[in-house]
Amino acid sequence: MFKAALFDLDGVVFNTEPQYSIFWGAMCRKYHPDQPGLENRIKGQTLVQIFDAHFKDMPDAQADIVNGLNDYEGHMSYDYIEGFEPFIAVLRQHGVLTALVTSSNVPKMQSVYRAHPELERCFDAILTSEHFRESKPSPDCYLQAARILGVSTDECVVFEDSFNGLRSGKAARMVVVGLSTTNAEETIAPLCDRVIPNFAGFDFYQCANLL
């Protein structure tokens, strides 16, 4: 039975991934010019994960990135992925619980809420990076969301776009719908139960039939 829909943020609710590619592309070229394409490999990771893996002994670089990212996110365009608003409205009309499960932190979410104050009303729960110990691809964040909503894992559908996010949903033993907004359909298909380009034309019944 379909009881809960769990959404990642960037690349799922908002079409922000191209903007992040620009920011991280500039940072990676500045500090790791010997690793072309690094900005693509770190997609879906938290800032802590990125720093631990690639900027561990570079405090000046970390400070530069944090300051730059805070300013960048405050001026980004937060445009909804096509079809998201009517899709989540229909889910809620059918009594489906909804949660936002994102690796973004609270300061980032404040920028999001300034751009879209209505967003909080779309979800029964909002989990940010401060709410879980282990980030995606660990299933921890999605398991916590299910506990908060009071549903079992086999009653949930996860919506993700990044490789780490898709793996997280699968590790939580949930049905996973992948959005090909960030990565090509053929690359994410093995990690999910259904691939969609966006939410246009995807309805409650198609989603419920995946369980």
Side-chain angles (χ1 to χ4, degrees):
M1 188 174 179
F2 181 26
K3 290 188 177 181
L6 314 178
F7 297 82
D8 179 41
L9 182 68
D10 296 296
V12 174
V13 176
F14 294 119
N15 185 27
T16 46
E17 285 297 348
Q19 297 173 82
Y20 278 113
S21 293
I22 293 171
F23 174 83
W24 281 110
M27 291 296 102
C28 291
R29 286 190 296 274
K30 181 177 181 179
Y31 292 108
H32 290 293
D34 57 327
Q35 298 185 49
L38 178 60
E39 66 272 18
N40 297 318
R41 297 195 294 278
I42 63 177
K43 284 182 179 179
Q45 297 181 17
T46 65
L47 197 57
V48 171
Q49 288 175 315
I50 294 170
F51 283 172
D52 284 347
H54 305 287
F55 299 89
K56 194 171 185 65
D57 300 314
M58 303 171 67
D60 291 341
Q62 290 187 23
D64 182 32
I65 291 169
V66 168
N67 291 333
L69 188 59
N70 287 340
D71 180 68
Y72 192 77
E73 290 176 335
H75 296 87
M76 280 172 53
S77 297
Y78 294 97
D79 298 323
Y80 283 114
I81 294 292
E82 184 180 357
F84 170 77
E85 292 174 282
F87 177 69
I88 200 167
V90 168
L91 292 185
R92 294 175 69 82
Q93 288 170 9
H94 280 85
V96 176
L97 298 172
T98 56
L100 182 66
V101 185
T102 175
S103 298
S104 298
N105 57 23
V106 168
K108 153 74 174 295
M109 293 307 298
Q110 296 306 314
S111 296
V112 172
Y113 297 145
R114 284 194 292 272
H116 289 281
E118 77 284 356
L119 185 70
E120 290 184 271
R121 297 192 296 273
C122 293
F123 299 102
D124 298 290
I126 295 178
L127 282 73
T128 61
S129 61
E130 292 85 358
H131 289 93
F132 36 87
R133 293 181 182 178
E134 298 181 5
S135 299
K136 303 168 186 177
S138 165
D140 182 47
C141 56
Y142 283 116
L143 295 176
Q144 283 203 46
R147 285 194 293 270
I148 289 171
L149 295 179
V151 297
S152 62
T153 57
D154 60 358
E155 296 170 326
C156 298
V157 176
V158 167
F159 294 88
E160 272 284 0
D161 66 308
S162 71
F163 293 116
N164 279 343
L166 295 165
R167 292 187 180 105
S168 176
K170 276 300 184 184
R173 298 182 182 275
M174 297 177 179
V175 166
V176 177
V177 175
L179 280 87
S180 57
T181 52
T182 303
N183 299 289
E185 177 179 353
E186 60 271 19
T187 64
I188 65 172
L191 300 174
C192 52
D193 299 284
R194 171 80 183 268
V195 178
I196 57 176
N198 50 53
F199 296 100
F202 189 66
D203 60 28
F204 165 80
Y205 298 102
Q206 293 180 61
C207 196
N209 287 336
L210 293 173
L211 280 84

